[in-house]
Amino acid sequence: MRGRARARLRREEPQEEAALSQLDEAALGEIARAAVRAVRADPRGRIVIDGRSGAGKTTIAHQIADDTGARVVSLDEFYPGWEGLEEATRIAARLVADHAAGREGAYRRWDWDRGAWLRREHVVDPGIRLIIEGCGSLTASSARAATASIWIDGDAAARRQRALERDGDGFRAFWDVWAAQEDAHIRAHDPRRLATYAADVV
């Protein structure tokens, strides 16, 4: 997720996830098609995609974006460090609420090399369909404002393998720290219950 080798790239675009199995691709593809139908019915639609690390959030987000022209904003862009999931949850909720209200939203990216916020603000146009993806994105607030929402989970060992293949050893030392924050988010918000669609990958 946030290995040092990826930190420089993360400032511009979060990287794609490691390959999923054919079974996982089929399950996520079905959910993606349902989400595409929902967001196409709303010219300013919003999709919120939450789930644990390595589950396939980025994959499905870009599938939906390719079919709808939606902009993808990843929480990876603004997690403020390895213990920053809760703060990113608040930023995501604000972006979704602003978009739903027809207001411009804005956020700054986190510089993982310097451990500080970058100065440039990135504006989210409320006139363009939006996909917010990342662990911590789905709460009661964001679910109410979303056109549709998705939760993805799955086998911890398989997810860990995919995440480390994607991010390298930089994530290995922080896997447990990050998983504990995922657990806290799930206890606090129960995103599976809030989701319009849910899936488990293997």
Side-chain angles (χ1 to χ4, degrees), residues 22-94:
Q22 290 184 341
L23 180 62
D24 293 335
E25 287 182 352
L28 294 184
E30 184 176 346
I31 288 176
R33 288 188 291 274
V36 165
R37 289 193 295 270
V39 78
R40 278 181 175 166
D42 184 348
R44 295 194 309 104
R46 291 157 299 286
I47 303 290
V48 176
I49 304 174
D50 200 343
R52 291 181 184 266
S53 184
K57 301 180 298 297
T58 302
T59 298
I60 194 170
H62 286 282
Q63 287 177 356
I64 297 168
D66 288 346
D67 285 342
T68 62
R71 174 180 177 178
V72 177
V73 174
S74 173
L75 271 66
D76 275 359
E77 298 178 61
F78 49 78
Y79 290 125
W82 284 108
E83 296 184 357
L85 189 150
E86 188 174 4
E87 175 62 19
T89 294
R90 289 191 284 268
I91 296 170
R94 173 173 51 79

Side-chain angles (χ1 to χ4, degrees), residues 111-163:
D111 185 332
W112 287 80
D113 286 339
R114 296 190 298 114
W117 294 103
L118 295 170
R119 296 180 66 178
R120 177 187 170 194
E121 279 201 336
H122 295 265
V123 174
V124 178
D125 185 344
I128 298 174
R129 294 179 176 116
L130 176 65
I131 298 170
I132 296 277
E133 71 90 7
C135 186
S137 60
L138 185 53
T139 63
S141 173
S142 63
R144 283 193 299 269
T147 305
S149 55
I150 297 168
W151 169 258
I152 312 172
D153 203 344
D155 177 75
R159 291 188 297 97
R160 186 175 189 272
Q161 180 179 345
R162 281 194 294 270

